[in-house]
PDB file of all heavy atoms in Angstrom:
ATOM      1  N   ASN A 105     -37.720 -85.448 180.207  1.00 97.00           N
ATOM      2  CA  ASN A 105     -37.058 -86.751 180.141  1.00 97.00           C
ATOM      3  C   ASN A 105     -37.249 -87.589 181.396  1.00 97.00           C
ATOM      4  O   ASN A 105     -36.805 -88.738 181.445  1.00 97.00           O
ATOM      5  CB  ASN A 105     -35.572 -86.568 179.851  1.00 97.00           C
ATOM      6  CG  ASN A 105     -35.308 -86.184 178.407  1.00 97.00           C
ATOM      7  OD1 ASN A 105     -36.149 -86.404 177.532  1.00 97.00           O
ATOM      8  ND2 ASN A 105     -34.151 -85.604 178.136  1.00 97.00           N
ATOM      9  N   SER A 106     -37.900 -87.028 182.413  1.00 96.00           N
ATOM     10  CA  SER A 106     -38.181 -87.825 183.614  1.00 96.00           C
ATOM     11  C   SER A 106     -39.378 -88.742 183.412  1.00 96.00           C
ATOM     12  O   SER A 106     -39.666 -89.602 184.246  1.00 96.00           O
ATOM     13  CB  SER A 106     -38.419 -86.900 184.809  1.00 96.00           C
ATOM     14  OG  SER A 106     -39.567 -86.083 184.606  1.00 96.00           O
ATOM     15  N   PHE A 107     -40.073 -88.573 182.284  1.00 97.00           N
ATOM     16  CA  PHE A 107     -41.218 -89.428 181.958  1.00 97.00           C
ATOM     17  C   PHE A 107     -40.838 -90.351 180.800  1.00 97.00           C
ATOM     18  O   PHE A 107     -40.170 -89.929 179.855  1.00 97.00           O
ATOM     19  CB  PHE A 107     -42.424 -88.587 181.548  1.00 97.00           C
ATOM     20  CG  PHE A 107     -42.863 -87.586 182.573  1.00 97.00           C
ATOM     21  CD1 PHE A 107     -42.419 -86.270 182.510  1.00 97.00           C
ATOM     22  CD2 PHE A 107     -43.712 -87.950 183.600  1.00 97.00           C
ATOM     23  CE1 PHE A 107     -42.817 -85.328 183.436  1.00 97.00           C
ATOM     24  CE2 PHE A 107     -44.122 -87.023 184.544  1.00 97.00           C
ATOM     25  CZ  PHE A 107     -43.672 -85.711 184.468  1.00 97.00           C
ATOM     26  N   MET A 108     -41.293 -91.593 180.873  1.00 97.00           N
ATOM     27  CA  MET A 108     -41.057 -92.544 179.805  1.00 97.00           C
ATOM     28  C   MET A 108     -42.340 -92.712 178.987  1.00 97.00           C
ATOM     29  O   MET A 108     -43.407 -92.979 179.540  1.00 97.00           O
ATOM     30  CB  MET A 108     -40.612 -93.893 180.373  1.00 97.00           C
ATOM     31  CG  MET A 108     -39.317 -93.828 181.175  1.00 97.00           C
ATOM     32  SD  MET A 108     -37.900 -93.227 180.202  1.00 97.00           S
ATOM     33  CE  MET A 108     -37.674 -94.619 179.085  1.00 97.00           C
ATOM     34  N   VAL A 109     -42.200 -92.539 177.667  1.00 98.00           N
ATOM     35  CA  VAL A 109     -43.353 -92.624 176.768  1.00 98.00           C
ATOM     36  C   VAL A 109     -43.077 -93.655 175.671  1.00 98.00           C
ATOM     37  O   VAL A 109     -41.945 -94.129 175.502  1.00 98.00           O
ATOM     38  CB  VAL A 109     -43.656 -91.255 176.136  1.00 98.00           C
ATOM     39  CG1 VAL A 109     -43.963 -90.223 177.214  1.00 98.00           C
ATOM     40  CG2 VAL A 109     -42.495 -90.777 175.269  1.00 98.00           C
ATOM     41  N   ARG A 110     -44.097 -93.981 174.923  1.00 98.00           N
ATOM     42  CA  ARG A 110     -43.955 -94.971 173.856  1.00 98.00           C
ATOM     43  C   ARG A 110     -43.022 -94.458 172.761  1.00 98.00           C
ATOM     44  O   ARG A 110     -43.237 -93.380 172.213  1.00 98.00           O
ATOM     45  CB  ARG A 110     -45.324 -95.314 173.273  1.00 98.00           C
ATOM     46  CG  ARG A 110     -46.238 -95.996 174.284  1.00 98.00           C
ATOM     47  CD  ARG A 110     -47.613 -96.305 173.720  1.00 98.00           C
ATOM     48  NE  ARG A 110     -48.390 -97.093 174.674  1.00 98.00           N
ATOM     49  CZ  ARG A 110     -49.584 -97.619 174.421  1.00 98.00           C
ATOM     50  NH1 ARG A 110     -50.145 -97.430 173.228  1.00 98.00           N
ATOM     51  NH2 ARG A 110     -50.209 -98.326 175.336  1.00 98.00           N
ATOM     52  N   GLY A 111     -42.001 -95.259 172.464  1.00 98.00           N
ATOM     53  CA  GLY A 111     -41.011 -94.876 171.472  1.00 98.00           C
ATOM     54  C   GLY A 111     -41.468 -95.141 170.048  1.00 98.00           C
ATOM     55  O   GLY A 111     -42.566 -95.660 169.812  1.00 98.00           O
ATOM     56  N   PRO A 112     -40.622 -94.830 169.059  1.00 98.00           N
ATOM     57  CA  PRO A 112     -41.008 -94.941 167.644  1.00 98.00           C
ATOM     58  C   PRO A 112     -41.298 -96.362 167.188  1.00 98.00           C
ATOM     59  O   PRO A 112     -42.000 -96.560 166.196  1.00 98.00           O
ATOM     60  CB  PRO A 112     -39.812 -94.341 166.893  1.00 98.00           C
ATOM     61  CG  PRO A 112     -38.685 -94.377 167.860  1.00 98.00           C
ATOM     62  CD  PRO A 112     -39.280 -94.226 169.210  1.00 98.00           C
ATOM     63  N   GLU A 113     -40.768 -97.367 167.884  1.00 97.00           N
ATOM     64  CA  GLU A 113     -41.015 -98.763 167.511  1.00 97.00           C
ATOM     65  C   GLU A 113     -41.742 -99.510 168.624  1.00 97.00           C
ATOM     66  O   GLU A 113     -41.600-100.724 168.780  1.00 97.00           O
ATOM     67  CB  GLU A 113     -39.676 -99.458 167.205  1.00 97.00           C
ATOM     68  CG  GLU A 113     -38.839 -98.772 166.140  1.00 97.00           C
ATOM     69  CD  GLU A 113     -39.542 -98.734 164.797  1.00 97.00           C
ATOM     70  OE1 GLU A 113     -40.338 -99.645 164.528  1.00 97.00           O
ATOM     71  OE2 GLU A 113     -39.309 -97.769 164.034  1.00 97.00           O
ATOM     72  N   TYR A 114     -42.533 -98.789 169.391  1.00 98.00           N
ATOM     73  CA  TYR A 114     -43.129 -99.369 170.601  1.00 98.00           C
ATOM     74  C   TYR A 114     -43.966-100.619 170.321  1.00 98.00           C
ATOM     75  O   TYR A 114     -43.914-101.592 171.069  1.00 98.00           O
ATOM     76  CB  TYR A 114     -43.995 -98.320 171.311  1.00 98.00           C
ATOM     77  CG  TYR A 114     -44.711 -98.867 172.525  1.00 98.00           C
ATOM     78  CD1 TYR A 114     -44.047 -99.008 173.734  1.00 98.00           C
ATOM     79  CD2 TYR A 114     -46.045 -99.274 172.449  1.00 98.00           C
ATOM     80  CE1 TYR A 114     -44.694 -99.524 174.844  1.00 98.00           C
ATOM     81  CE2 TYR A 114     -46.698 -99.800 173.553  1.00 98.00           C
ATOM     82  CZ  TYR A 114     -46.019 -99.919 174.745  1.00 98.00           C
ATOM     83  OH  TYR A 114     -46.653-100.449 175.836  1.00 98.00           O
ATOM     84  N   PHE A 115     -44.736-100.615 169.256  1.00 98.00           N
ATOM     85  CA  PHE A 115     -45.663-101.724 169.033  1.00 98.00           C
ATOM     86  C   PHE A 115     -44.957-103.017 168.643  1.00 98.00           C
ATOM     87  O   PHE A 115     -45.533-104.098 168.763  1.00 98.00           O
ATOM     88  CB  PHE A 115     -46.707-101.332 167.987  1.00 98.00           C
ATOM     89  CG  PHE A 115     -47.635-100.254 168.465  1.00 98.00           C
ATOM     90  CD1 PHE A 115     -47.648 -99.015 167.858  1.00 98.00           C
ATOM     91  CD2 PHE A 115     -48.468-100.460 169.554  1.00 98.00           C
ATOM     92  CE1 PHE A 115     -48.485 -98.010 168.299  1.00 98.00           C
ATOM     93  CE2 PHE A 115     -49.309 -99.462 170.005  1.00 98.00           C
ATOM     94  CZ  PHE A 115     -49.317 -98.226 169.381  1.00 98.00           C
ATOM     95  N   SER A 116     -43.723-102.926 168.217  1.00 97.00           N
ATOM     96  CA  SER A 116     -42.959-104.139 167.900  1.00 97.00           C
ATOM     97  C   SER A 116     -41.947-104.483 168.985  1.00 97.00           C
ATOM     98  O   SER A 116     -41.622-105.653 169.192  1.00 97.00           O
ATOM     99  CB  SER A 116     -42.235-103.986 166.556  1.00 97.00           C
ATOM    100  OG  SER A 116     -41.365-102.873 166.574  1.00 97.00           O
ATOM    101  N   THR A 117     -41.458-103.457 169.700  1.00 97.00           N
ATOM    102  CA  THR A 117     -40.397-103.700 170.689  1.00 97.00           C
ATOM    103  C   THR A 117     -40.828-103.461 172.126  1.00 97.00           C
ATOM    104  O   THR A 117     -40.151-103.896 173.050  1.00 97.00           O
ATOM    105  CB  THR A 117     -39.195-102.790 170.406  1.00 97.00           C
ATOM    106  OG1 THR A 117     -39.590-101.424 170.599  1.00 97.00           O
ATOM    107  CG2 THR A 117     -38.689-102.977 168.982  1.00 97.00           C
ATOM    108  N   LYS A 118     -41.937-102.751 172.331  1.00 97.00           N
ATOM    109  CA  LYS A 118     -42.411-102.348 173.667  1.00 97.00           C
ATOM    110  C   LYS A 118     -41.398-101.454 174.383  1.00 97.00           C
ATOM    111  O   LYS A 118     -41.428-101.338 175.605  1.00 97.00           O
ATOM    112  CB  LYS A 118     -42.738-103.575 174.529  1.00 97.00           C
ATOM    113  CG  LYS A 118     -43.807-104.485 173.953  1.00 97.00           C
ATOM    114  CD  LYS A 118     -45.122-103.744 173.746  1.00 97.00           C
ATOM    115  CE  LYS A 118     -46.197-104.655 173.162  1.00 97.00           C
ATOM    116  NZ  LYS A 118     -47.451-103.928 172.862  1.00 97.00           N
ATOM    117  N   VAL A 119     -40.545-100.811 173.624  1.00 98.00           N
ATOM    118  CA  VAL A 119     -39.511 -99.950 174.211  1.00 98.00           C
ATOM    119  C   VAL A 119     -40.045 -98.535 174.373  1.00 98.00           C
ATOM    120  O   VAL A 119     -40.599 -97.948 173.434  1.00 98.00           O
ATOM    121  CB  VAL A 119     -38.235 -99.932 173.346  1.00 98.00           C
ATOM    122  CG1 VAL A 119     -37.246 -98.890 173.861  1.00 98.00           C
ATOM    123  CG2 VAL A 119     -37.602-101.313 173.333  1.00 98.00           C
ATOM    124  N   LYS A 120     -39.848 -97.993 175.569  1.00 97.00           N
ATOM    125  CA  LYS A 120     -40.225 -96.613 175.836  1.00 97.00           C
ATOM    126  C   LYS A 120     -38.974 -95.731 175.840  1.00 97.00           C
ATOM    127  O   LYS A 120     -37.866 -96.206 176.070  1.00 97.00           O
ATOM    128  CB  LYS A 120     -40.966 -96.500 177.167  1.00 97.00           C
ATOM    129  CG  LYS A 120     -42.321 -97.194 177.141  1.00 97.00           C
ATOM    130  CD  LYS A 120     -43.115 -96.900 178.395  1.00 97.00           C
ATOM    131  CE  LYS A 120     -44.505 -97.491 178.299  1.00 97.00           C
ATOM    132  NZ  LYS A 120     -45.339 -97.156 179.471  1.00 97.00           N
ATOM    133  N   VAL A 121     -39.212 -94.451 175.605  1.00 98.00           N
ATOM    134  CA  VAL A 121     -38.108 -93.493 175.509  1.00 98.00           C
ATOM    135  C   VAL A 121     -38.420 -92.292 176.391  1.00 98.00           C
ATOM    136  O   VAL A 121     -39.583 -92.046 176.746  1.00 98.00           O
ATOM    137  CB  VAL A 121     -37.894 -93.043 174.048  1.00 98.00           C
ATOM    138  CG1 VAL A 121     -37.513 -94.227 173.171  1.00 98.00           C
ATOM    139  CG2 VAL A 121     -39.141 -92.344 173.506  1.00 98.00           C
ATOM    140  N   PRO A 122     -37.396 -91.510 176.769  1.00 98.00           N
ATOM    141  CA  PRO A 122     -37.646 -90.288 177.543  1.00 98.00           C
ATOM    142  C   PRO A 122     -38.567 -89.332 176.786  1.00 98.00           C
ATOM    143  O   PRO A 122     -38.521 -89.232 175.559  1.00 98.00           O
ATOM    144  CB  PRO A 122     -36.243 -89.691 177.723  1.00 98.00           C
ATOM    145  CG  PRO A 122     -35.333 -90.870 177.636  1.00 98.00           C
ATOM    146  CD  PRO A 122     -35.945 -91.782 176.618  1.00 98.00           C
ATOM    147  N   GLY A 123     -39.414 -88.634 177.536  1.00 98.00           N
ATOM    148  CA  GLY A 123     -40.466 -87.817 176.936  1.00 98.00           C
ATOM    149  C   GLY A 123     -39.996 -86.642 176.118  1.00 98.00           C
ATOM    150  O   GLY A 123     -40.682 -86.214 175.196  1.00 98.00           O
ATOM    151  N   GLY A 124     -38.838 -86.076 176.461  1.00 98.00           N
ATOM    152  CA  GLY A 124     -38.302 -84.965 175.681  1.00 98.00           C
ATOM    153  C   GLY A 124     -39.066 -83.665 175.873  1.00 98.00           C
ATOM    154  O   GLY A 124     -39.751 -83.448 176.873  1.00 98.00           O
ATOM    155  N   GLU A 125     -38.986 -82.799 174.872  1.00 97.00           N
ATOM    156  CA  GLU A 125     -39.582 -81.469 174.952  1.00 97.00           C
ATOM    157  C   GLU A 125     -41.104 -81.542 174.924  1.00 97.00           C
ATOM    158  O   GLU A 125     -41.698 -82.337 174.200  1.00 97.00           O
ATOM    159  CB  GLU A 125     -39.081 -80.625 173.772  1.00 97.00           C
ATOM    160  CG  GLU A 125     -39.591 -79.192 173.779  1.00 97.00           C
ATOM    161  CD  GLU A 125     -39.124 -78.426 172.556  1.00 97.00           C
ATOM    162  OE1 GLU A 125     -38.182 -78.898 171.881  1.00 97.00           O
ATOM    163  OE2 GLU A 125     -39.712 -77.363 172.268  1.00 97.00           O
ATOM    164  N   PHE A 126     -41.746 -80.701 175.719  1.00 98.00           N
ATOM    165  CA  PHE A 126     -43.202 -80.652 175.755  1.00 98.00           C
ATOM    166  C   PHE A 126     -43.754 -79.931 174.522  1.00 98.00           C
ATOM    167  O   PHE A 126     -43.099 -79.055 173.946  1.00 98.00           O
ATOM    168  CB  PHE A 126     -43.685 -79.917 177.010  1.00 98.00           C
ATOM    169  CG  PHE A 126     -43.187 -80.519 178.301  1.00 98.00           C
ATOM    170  CD1 PHE A 126     -42.752 -79.700 179.332  1.00 98.00           C
ATOM    171  CD2 PHE A 126     -43.149 -81.887 178.475  1.00 98.00           C
ATOM    172  CE1 PHE A 126     -42.302 -80.238 180.516  1.00 98.00           C
ATOM    173  CE2 PHE A 126     -42.700 -82.444 179.659  1.00 98.00           C
ATOM    174  CZ  PHE A 126     -42.269 -81.615 180.690  1.00 98.00           C
TER     175      PHE A 126
END
Side-chain angles (χ1 to χ4, degrees):
N105 286 340
S106 63
F107 303 95
M108 299 300 291
V109 300
R110 295 178 173 186
E113 304 298 331
Y114 177 80
F115 293 115
S116 58
T117 65
K118 301 301 180 184
V119 172
K120 293 188 175 183
V121 298
E125 182 183 344
F126 303 138

